[in-house]
Amino acid sequence: PYTCPCPGNGSCKWQGSLEQVMPHLIQQHKSITTLQGEDIVFLATDISLPGAIDWVMMQSCFGHHFMLVLEKQEKHENYQQFFAVVQLIGTRKQAEQFAYRLELNGNRRRLTWESTPRSIHDGVQQAINNSD
């Protein structure tokens, strides 16, 4: 069974089949926005708020759904780390068939990262732990 792929959501103990993940997210996590298309903009607001914060969004394209996660961790006072993770709502084998380009933009800065998405089976924390 798959667990709820929402990061930092220890209160959601949902488990179910892969086919039940999207209906669960739509019904129980209504605050997650889904954008259609292969090129979308994910705007994270209030990034200077203190503490650990997750921004989550869904992208629907190529007949699949992807979960985009931007996570901020505060290691100690005034030291913040940001992690961006792209996950396919699908199996590891399905995820290997895709590639993504993630572009992070800030004040006169731009960082582009290209990789293969992870499956939600692996989870956000595993991606962060593996420095992926």
Side-chain angles (χ1 to χ4, degrees):
Y2 285 77
T3 58
C4 179
C6 287
N9 197 350
S11 62
C12 186
K13 304 294 186 199
W14 179 87
Q15 287 189 343
S17 70
L18 182 56
E19 294 75 26
Q20 296 171 317
V21 173
M22 277 310 293
H24 165 74
L25 292 173
I26 291 166
Q27 293 165 8
Q28 301 300 317
H29 301 279
K30 294 180 185 350
S31 64
I32 299 176
T33 303
T34 300
L35 293 183
Q36 307 286 328
E38 59 188 80
D39 192 9
I40 64 166
V41 175
F42 179 175
L43 182 63
T45 57
D46 298 325
I47 63 169
S48 59
L49 287 174
I53 303 174
D54 292 307
W55 293 266
V56 181
M57 179 176 201
M58 299 296 294
Q59 179 179 10
S60 179
C61 58
F62 306 115
H64 290 273
H65 290 88
F66 298 84
M67 178 175 270
L68 314 174
V69 177
L70 178 64
E71 180 169 305
K72 181 181 84 161
Q73 295 181 4
E74 227 172 310
K75 297 299 182 187
H76 47 82
E77 193 173 333
N78 296 328
Y79 179 72
Q80 301 172 338
Q81 274 187 304
F82 288 85
F83 301 90
V85 180
V86 178
Q87 299 180 106
L88 173 71
I89 307 291
T91 66
R92 290 181 182 117
K93 191 173 180 80
Q94 288 172 317
E96 290 172 3
Q97 298 172 7
F98 291 95
Y100 69 87
R101 178 180 299 130
L102 181 67
E103 184 176 284
L104 301 173
N105 292 297
N107 188 14
R108 294 185 289 162
R109 293 185 178 127
R110 176 177 300 166
L111 174 68
T112 302
W113 179 264
E114 296 181 21
S115 188
T116 302
R118 291 192 160 250
S119 164
I120 57 164
H121 189 74
D122 296 327
V124 171
Q125 201 52 54
Q126 185 176 339
I128 291 172
N129 292 346
N130 292 341
S131 300
D132 189 14

